């Protein structure tokens, strides 16, 4: 009698993960390669007359104008004005939205009472408030600050409400069984649940506030990058205009990178895996 033999499972071959350095190198080189292709394509299309040079100057002319501005004081002064207004707006909107969202998330009757007001104000585009802001506040940097705070506040408020309510009920019951105070429950249970929501909200508020500050500078004429973009267009200098547009984009990239670094450090300090 022949006993059936059991087939042994094939040994699992561990999958080789690509080196972290290779991944980081690709994450940097691929965007740079795409940028180089886009710049070369724009240069060729303008030089060959496919794109009108009066509206789309060659990338080489924009680069030359940018180098001239980098050597002067105007760019750095306007960049400082824009970044300072952006930073102040973020420092106001994020703590205020987090605090109000935490209260509304914890006290459901108050949130239900204020929900119609929130749903009415939240969809209003901040740009639509520019005439009212100019009439009430004026044409100073405070107008751009108000618009940026108004737009960023809603970006933080709604995720904060959802975040404070996302704490696991078992964790809350455990905290109550150990006689945690309200502040201790917020600190040790609900803050950990809120962090992913607040991280995403802060990143959105970062971009939104910068967009609103530059937009207000363009429309109202407040000193800053947006104002220089408008002035360059008015005097018929498109190369300088695009140079300041490039500076605005680079500022957004740098700001987003800094916020991501701070976000990772915050998650690590609270023992939570950092987001990608």
């Amino acid at each position: 009698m022949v006993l059936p033999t059991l087939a042994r499972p094939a040994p699992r071959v561990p999958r080789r993960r690509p080196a972290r350095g290779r991944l980081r190198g690709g994450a940097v080189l691929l965007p740079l390669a795409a940028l180089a292709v886009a710049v070369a394509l724009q240069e060729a299309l303008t030089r060959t007359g496919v794109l009108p040079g009066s509206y789309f100057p060659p990338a080489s002319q924009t680069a030359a104008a940018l180098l001239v501005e980098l050597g002067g004081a105007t760019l750095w002064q306007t960049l400082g004005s824009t970044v300072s207004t952006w930073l102040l707006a973020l420092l106001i909107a994020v703590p205020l939205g987090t605090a109000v969202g935490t209260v509304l998330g914890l006290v459901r009757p108050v949130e239900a009472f204020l929900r119609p007001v929130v749903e009415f104000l939240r969809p209003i585009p901040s740009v639509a408030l520019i005439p009212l802001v100019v009439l009430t506040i004026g044409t100073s940097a405070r107008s751009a600050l108000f618009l940026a705070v108004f737009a960023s506040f809603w970006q933080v408020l709604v995720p904060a409400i959802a975040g404070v309510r996302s704490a696991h009920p078992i964790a809350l019951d455990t905290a109550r069984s150990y006689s945690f105070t309200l502040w201790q429950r917020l600190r040790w249970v609900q803050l950990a649940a809120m962090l992913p929501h607040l991280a995403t909200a802060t990143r959105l508020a970062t971009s939104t506030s910068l967009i609103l500050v530059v937009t207000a500078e363009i429309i109202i004429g407040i000193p800053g990058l947006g104002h220089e973009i408008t002035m360059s267009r008015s005097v018929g200098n498109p190369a300088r205009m695009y140079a300041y547009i490039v500076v605005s984009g680079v500022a957004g990239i740098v700001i987003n990178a800094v916020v991501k670094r701070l976000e990772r450090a915050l998650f690590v300090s609270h023992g939570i895996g950092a987001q990608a």
Side-chain angles (χ1 to χ4, degrees), residues 69-70 72-89 141 144-145 210 213-214 217 222-228 244 247-248 251 255:
E69 294 300 320
L70 288 174
T74 302
L75 184 144
W76 302 108
Q77 292 174 356
T78 55
L79 180 62
S81 300
T82 300
V83 171
S84 60
T85 305
W86 161 82
L87 182 60
L88 183 58
L145 177 64
L210 182 61
V213 170
V214 176
E217 291 170 351
I222 302 170
L225 294 177
H227 179 63
E228 293 301 321
Y244 274 91
V247 172
S248 301
I255 287 171

Side-chain angles (χ1 to χ4, degrees), residues 24 49 182 232:
R24 291 180 178 177
L182 176 61
S232 300

Side-chain angles (χ1 to χ4, degrees), residues 4 12 18 20 26-27 53-54 63 95 98 111 120 165 182 187 197 207-208 224-225 241 246 255 269:
R12 297 180 61 184
R20 183 174 298 180
S54 56
T98 302
E111 190 270 336
F120 173 76
R165 293 178 179 176
L182 176 61
R187 171 66 179 84
H197 297 78
S207 303
T208 302
L225 294 177
M241 180 188 72
V246 169
I255 287 171
S269 66

Side-chain angles (χ1 to χ4, degrees), residues 36-37 44 61 74 76 98 106 126 153 159 168 177 209 213 220 248:
V37 170
Q61 293 184 9
T74 302
W76 302 108
T98 302
L106 291 175
S126 297
F153 173 78
H168 201 283
S177 67
S209 59
V213 170
I220 303 176
S248 301

